């Protein structure tokens, strides 16, 4: 069973109580899910990774069991995760973010180059225009019906400039599915904008098929985070 721990009244600089689950031993590895999800999307991946790492699977603000923020912005999510890392005293953890979690990783690594040591980004986009047109239309229609602020955030944000990517100094693995809802040109722009980044487009995979309730990421993350290391 994965040990559980609720973090409350801890992050005084951002004012958010964050829920996370911790498992395993070894170098710290943070997992961050996508929009409207929670840490349980990694339920099949965590046990595999916990054999090699201390895994911290976080519920982003306003998701799962974490406190809802006053407003939803990717920059605010990144600030909260930075506070989480500082509060736990994690020394340059590994990071893997899916979709919105990948956006958070890009913002963290570009604004605080020394915070993380290696980063994997799955299905992220730089701007809303990086999503395929049909998907943007679908999300817009859903927002008109529901007025969900998380959808509004996704329709307006992020706005990550080329110069922000150029500030990322850590080894980065950029991943996306061959049938992703993110444009392939957007995924390639992320990889080309980050100095030395590696790129893998996974044939036949959708936006989340290789991440959500799947352990397909395990060998990719193992080999990237522990190149030549113990298996």
């Amino acid at each position: 069973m994965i040990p559980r721990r609720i973090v409350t009244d801890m992050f005084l600089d951002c004012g958010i109580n964050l829920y996370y689950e911790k498992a395993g031993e070894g170098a710290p590895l943070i997992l961050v899910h996508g929009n409207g999800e929670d840490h349980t999307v990694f339920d099949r991946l965590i046990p595999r990774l916990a054999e090699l790492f201390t895994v911290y699977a976080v519920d982003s603000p306003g998701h799962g069991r974490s406190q809802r923020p006053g407003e939803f912005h990717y920059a605010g999510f990144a600030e909260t995760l930075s506070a989480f890392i500082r509060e736990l005293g994690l020394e340059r953890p590994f990071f893997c973010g899916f979709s919105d979690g990948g956006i958070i990783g890009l913002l963290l690594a570009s604004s605080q180059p020394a915070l993380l040591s290696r980063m994997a980004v799955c299905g992220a986009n730089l701007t809303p225009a990086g999503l395929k047109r049909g998907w943007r239309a679908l999300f817009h229609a859903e927002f008109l019906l529901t007025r969900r602020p998380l959808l509004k955030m996704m329709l307006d944000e992020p706005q990550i400039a080329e110069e922000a990517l150029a500030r990322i100094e850590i080894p980065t693995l950029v991943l996306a599915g061959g049938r992703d809802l993110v444009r392939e040109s957007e995924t390639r722009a992320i990889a080309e904008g980050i100095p030395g980044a590696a790129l893998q487009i996974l044939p036949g995979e959708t936006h989340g098929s290789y991440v959500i309730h799947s352990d397909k990421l395990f060998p990719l993350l193992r080999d990237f985070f522990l190149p030549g290391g113990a298996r």
Side-chain angles (χ1 to χ4, degrees), residues 143-162:
F143 172 70
L144 292 178
L145 288 173
T146 66
R147 297 292 173 177
R148 287 177 54 215
L150 282 169
L151 285 171
K152 177 65 172 173
M153 178 183 72
M154 190 168 56
L155 291 168
D156 293 342
E157 303 179 17
Q159 299 293 337
I160 301 175
E162 184 177 342

Side-chain angles (χ1 to χ4, degrees), residues 1 8 12 23 31 41 47 68 71 105 119 127 136 139-140 145 149 168 171 182 218:
M1 179 177 295
T8 60
L12 301 180
L31 300 178
V41 300
R68 180 186 173 110
E71 296 182 347
M119 173 174 68
T127 72
R136 291 204 315 273
F139 295 143
H140 181 70
L145 288 173
I168 296 177
V182 176
F218 174 70

Side-chain angles (χ1 to χ4, degrees), residues 11 13-20 29-33 56-61 66 73-90 93-98 100-109 111-112 115-116 119:
F11 306 135
D13 55 349
C14 66
I16 294 292
N17 297 334
L18 211 63
Y19 177 84
Y20 69 98
L29 167 58
I30 297 171
L31 300 178
V32 183
H33 57 80
Y56 296 85
V58 178
D59 285 351
S60 292
S66 287
H73 297 290
Y74 290 117
F77 286 9
E79 178 186 354
T80 301
L81 194 59
S82 174
F84 173 80
I85 292 169
R86 293 196 306 271
E87 185 62 34
L88 291 185
L90 302 181
F94 299 134
F95 178 93
C96 176
F98 166 58
D100 279 19
I103 293 169
I104 292 168
L106 293 175
L107 292 172
L108 273 178
S111 63
Q112 302 181 62
L115 187 67
L116 307 173
M119 173 174 68

Side-chain angles (χ1 to χ4, degrees), residues 211-228:
V211 178
I212 297 173
H213 307 307
S214 170
D215 62 359
K216 291 180 181 179
L217 272 176
F218 174 70
L220 298 173
L221 298 182
R222 176 198 62 200
D223 294 347
F224 175 66
F225 290 132
L226 299 176

